């Protein structure tokens, strides 16, 4: 095989891999964690959610059969059961997805997980993250109490912007 054929072979292989990766994340072959992250991104409006926290929250929901069933329904209504990307939040609201009290309660619980960093564990509420919760990420001008907000004396300067 010559250099030109080898280069074409590598390009074709990379293109196929990229297409497969898009299908795996968006389609039926997506992992449960990928589907949960996609749904969470729609609900929160945040795309770079922590996979380790997502796994904790997903495990919490799957531990309760009624929540696991509602989660599958919410995936289907959000467009995460097929090959297409998830519907935007406005579309879900307009289509009446949250008029179903069960799906609304599940969406609220998922939002609560992400914004507080807390989830239900066997012994009560547990903390997946404090500083990394979306409540603190949504307030860029401050940091979580008890955490360092920057270098010594950084609080004495006005925030940028």
């Amino acid at each position: 095989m010559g250099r030109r054929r080898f280069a074409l072979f590598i390009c074709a292989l990379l293109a196929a891999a990229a297409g497969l990766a898009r299908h795996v994340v968006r389609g039926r072959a997506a992992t449960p964690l990928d589907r949960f992250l996609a749904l969470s991104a729609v609900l929160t409006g945040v795309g770079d959610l922590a996979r380790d926290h997502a796994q904790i929250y997903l495990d919490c929901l799957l531990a309760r059969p009624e929540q696991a069933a509602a989660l599958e329904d919410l995936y289907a209504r959000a467009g995460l059961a097929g090959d297409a990307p998830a519907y935007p939040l406005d579309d879900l609201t307009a289509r009446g997805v949250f008029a179903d009290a069960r799906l609304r309660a599940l969406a609220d619980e998922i939002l609560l997980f992400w914004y507080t960093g807390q989830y239900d564990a066997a012994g009560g509420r547990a903390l997946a993250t404090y500083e990394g919760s979306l409540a603190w990420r949504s307030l860029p001008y401050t940091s979580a109490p008890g955490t360092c907000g920057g270098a010594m004396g950084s609080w004495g300067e006005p925030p940028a912007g």
Side-chain angles (χ1 to χ4, degrees):
M1 178 184 300
R3 282 185 280 182
R4 182 168 187 222
R5 275 191 113 171
F6 180 72
L8 289 173
F9 172 75
I10 294 298
C11 289
L13 187 62
L14 290 173
L20 178 61
R22 273 194 307 279
H23 175 73
V24 167
V25 170
R26 286 202 253 158
R28 289 177 178 66
T31 68
L33 182 59
D34 290 332
R35 287 176 64 194
F36 183 71
L37 280 164
L39 176 63
S40 294
V42 168
L43 294 175
T44 64
V46 178
D48 62 338
L49 299 168
R51 291 181 72 82
D52 53 341
H53 301 151
Q55 187 65 61
I56 292 168
Y57 305 149
L58 177 60
D59 290 345
C60 174
L61 294 173
L62 295 178
R64 294 176 281 167
E66 71 282 353
Q67 292 289 61
L71 186 60
E72 285 302 319
D73 290 347
L74 189 52
Y75 286 148
R77 300 280 303 270
L80 290 165
D83 291 334
Y87 299 118
L89 185 61
D90 290 344
D91 287 357
L92 297 179
T93 303
R95 292 176 42 232
V97 171
F98 304 117
D100 181 330
R102 187 175 58 109
L103 299 183
R104 175 61 186 228
L106 176 61
D108 288 345
E109 186 167 9
I110 292 169
L111 288 168
L112 188 67
F113 290 162
W114 285 111
Y115 275 89
T116 66
Q118 297 180 19
Y119 63 99
D120 293 322
R125 296 294 280 174
L127 188 64
T129 182
Y130 173 63
E131 188 177 348
S133 69
L134 293 184
W136 296 114
R137 285 180 56 185
S138 66
L139 300 169
Y141 55 85
T142 189
S143 60
T147 60
C148 181
M152 179 66 145
S154 63
W155 51 266
E157 298 296 321

